[in-house]
Amino acid sequence: AFGIGLGLPITPMELAGIPLIFLTLVALRSDWRSLGSLVRHPFTIALLACIAWAGLALAWSTDPKHGLDELANARWLWVILALWLAPHLARHVLTGIAIGYVLMHASQATQLALQLMGNEWIATKRLPDRVSGWSEPAVAGSLLCAVLGLHLPRGVWSTSWTSRILAALALVGIIATGTRGAWIVAAAMLAGAVGILIILGIRSREQRARAIVVALTGLAIVGGAAVALQDKIRSRVDEAEREIDAALTEGNKHTSTGGRIVMLEWATQAIKAEPVLGVGTGGYRAWVNEQQAEQGINPNSQRVLDHAHNTYLHIGATQGTVGLALFLTAAGLALRNAWPRHPRDAGVLAAILGLLMIGMFDTVAVNAQTSALGVTLIACALASRRLNHGPPCPAGPATPEGVSPP
């Protein structure tokens, strides 16, 4: 239920976690001694240090109330505890995630069908060239980059047509959202997957045929989606070209793309102004507004949100190089925990990497849905390592002495 909920709108997603919370409380009775291993784990230490520094940075923030809203995403850490105590359930959570995002694709298909029939009620908050179902386009694009990564390795390195179909659905879904950053990440992930397959060495005719099939299938999906959604894709590309040209040549930054350029510029200035400590957790927009007032800039003339539309610049601006270093350390350890024994099992690794890559175009750390999915993927990686390398856990009855486990 929790895995499925991760693909649903925010309220059902929150409610879907309730059964898993009760399971965690029950599991604590039988396995509370393992918490010492979890607390001493290098990733846990890095993550707690990251959160502690973010909390400390509230002290010098000019908007600590908003900072608390950003820190609220740390509530998803209970998922790490849940799957550490019941690591054998991680694979079921991943199955639920696959189901939840098939439902999201169904909501996208419904929105598109209604638009084609001239009924726009489902898209009241959406632009007509962006098909994202029940999620905001940028958020949907970010989430689906992780989902594409989750299914792509097994689809490339094995004969699992289920994984290939799910990866294809994620790819089409990304194209339909109109999220240009997600397009770039998805293309990089596809090219990277096939490239790694070639680098690792194609030693048999079967592997060579599989690589060709995967490459041609990916091209066919992209081409088919491009034809089906050519008007929507063309409008997004044309819009980007116009807005970038207007921002660079005319200084017009009132557009969506121009606004992102402004937010990145202000984040860079914040890092230069407070390189070590940052301007404080949650204080990005308040600091920008102060600077605009000092420089005589009308706030209404620039499109500035509560975040910098870039995970790394936002963390650097609000928590300084200290906070950014802690975040990158935790991210590196998360990738290490997810490192598989074989490329076909790299789904969780690729999914985490997909979120980190899309972080260059969106602030995934301050969004509830991307935070929940990211923490869950990290928890699944830790659970897998505990099953393979960690202390015994109460996943089932003990094997009688002298009997080999299955």
Side-chain angles (χ1 to χ4, degrees):
F2 177 68
I4 292 173
L6 290 173
L8 302 182
I10 184 66
T11 300
M13 182 188 76
E14 299 268 11
L15 295 176
I18 294 175
L20 195 57
I21 293 175
F22 280 106
L23 175 67
T24 305
L25 297 176
V26 172
L28 274 171
R29 295 182 58 192
S30 59
D31 199 26
W32 59 270
R33 292 180 181 85
S34 72
L35 295 184
S37 300
L38 177 61
V39 172
R40 292 191 300 271
H41 198 285
F43 169 76
T44 306
I45 295 172
L47 183 62
L48 292 178
C50 188
I51 295 172
W53 178 258
L56 183 63
L58 289 172
W60 54 85
S61 172
T62 52
D63 190 357
K65 182 179 179 180
H66 183 70
L68 289 174
D69 291 338
E70 291 189 3
L71 281 175
N73 287 319
R75 67 189 184 277
W76 297 107
L77 294 184
W78 66 265
V79 181
I80 294 178
L81 176 61
L83 294 185
W84 179 266
L85 294 170
H88 54 292
L89 296 183
R91 61 190 182 94
H92 299 299
V93 172
L94 293 174
T95 300
I97 290 173
I99 296 172
Y101 282 93
V102 168
L103 296 177
M104 175 185 278
H105 297 318
S107 75
Q108 289 180 283
T110 302
Q111 178 188 343
L112 180 60
L114 289 172
Q115 286 182 347
L116 293 176
M117 291 186 294
N119 190 335
E120 294 288 340
W121 69 268
I122 197 173
T124 53
K125 294 185 179 180
R126 310 282 185 265
L127 296 174
D129 57 351
R130 309 190 70 174
V131 181
S132 57
W134 51 49
S135 293
E136 292 292 334
V139 175
S142 298
L143 293 169
L144 290 176
C145 283
V147 176
L148 175 63
L150 190 62
H151 301 305
L152 192 58
R154 190 166 292 275
V156 170
W157 276 277
S158 75
T159 57
S160 172
W161 280 101
T162 300
S163 296
R164 292 175 183 174
I165 292 171
L166 291 173
L169 287 173
L171 181 58
V172 174
I174 289 171
I175 296 172
T177 64
T179 306
R180 292 165 297 209
W183 293 353
I184 297 172
V185 171
M189 293 180 74
L190 278 173
V194 177
I196 291 172
L197 181 64
I198 295 172
I199 291 171
L200 290 177
I202 299 177
R203 298 181 178 88
S204 69
R205 185 175 299 175
E206 180 185 355
Q207 289 177 322
R208 188 178 297 110
R210 187 185 307 160
I212 293 173
V213 168
V214 169
L216 292 177
T217 302
L219 289 173
I221 292 169
V222 172
V227 172
L229 301 168
Q230 57 181 326
D231 292 337
K232 299 179 182 298
I233 293 173
R234 185 69 257 172
S235 68
R236 291 293 289 159
V237 173
D238 290 343
E239 180 185 53
E241 292 176 350
R242 289 193 306 270
E243 292 178 354
I244 292 174
D245 182 67
L248 297 180
T249 61
E250 304 170 14
N252 179 12
K253 298 180 181 179
H254 299 281
T255 60
S256 175
T257 305
R260 294 191 181 209
I261 294 173
V262 167
M263 287 184 276
L264 297 179
E265 289 175 345
W266 280 118
T268 303
Q269 291 185 37
I271 294 173
K272 291 179 179 179
E274 300 290 345
V276 178
L277 302 180
V279 300
T281 303
Y284 168 75
R285 186 171 187 174
W287 182 86
V288 171
N289 290 338
E290 287 181 356
Q291 296 302 308
Q292 289 173 331
E294 290 180 5
Q295 298 176 28
I297 299 173
N298 183 357
N300 295 326
S301 67
Q302 295 183 339
R303 180 177 177 267
V304 179
L305 303 179
D306 292 332
H307 56 84
H309 248 299
N310 180 297
T311 300
Y312 308 100
L313 286 179
H314 182 77
I315 293 175
T318 57
Q319 299 168 30
T321 52
V322 175
L324 182 58
L326 290 172
F327 177 82
L328 293 175
T329 300
L333 290 172
L335 293 173
R336 177 179 175 273
N337 291 336
W339 199 266
R341 297 180 178 179
H342 191 279
R344 67 172 173 269
D345 301 320
V348 173
L349 173 69
I352 296 172
L353 187 60
L355 281 178
L356 292 173
M357 291 171 68
I358 197 63
M360 294 184 292
F361 303 96
D362 201 5
T363 317
V364 296
V366 301
N367 179 272
Q369 288 178 284
T370 50
S371 295
L373 180 60
V375 171
T376 302
L377 292 168
I378 290 169
C380 288
L382 278 171
S384 177
R385 288 187 69 85
R386 187 182 179 202
L387 282 177
N388 295 326
H389 309 290
C393 54
T399 302
E401 186 176 356
V403 178
S404 299

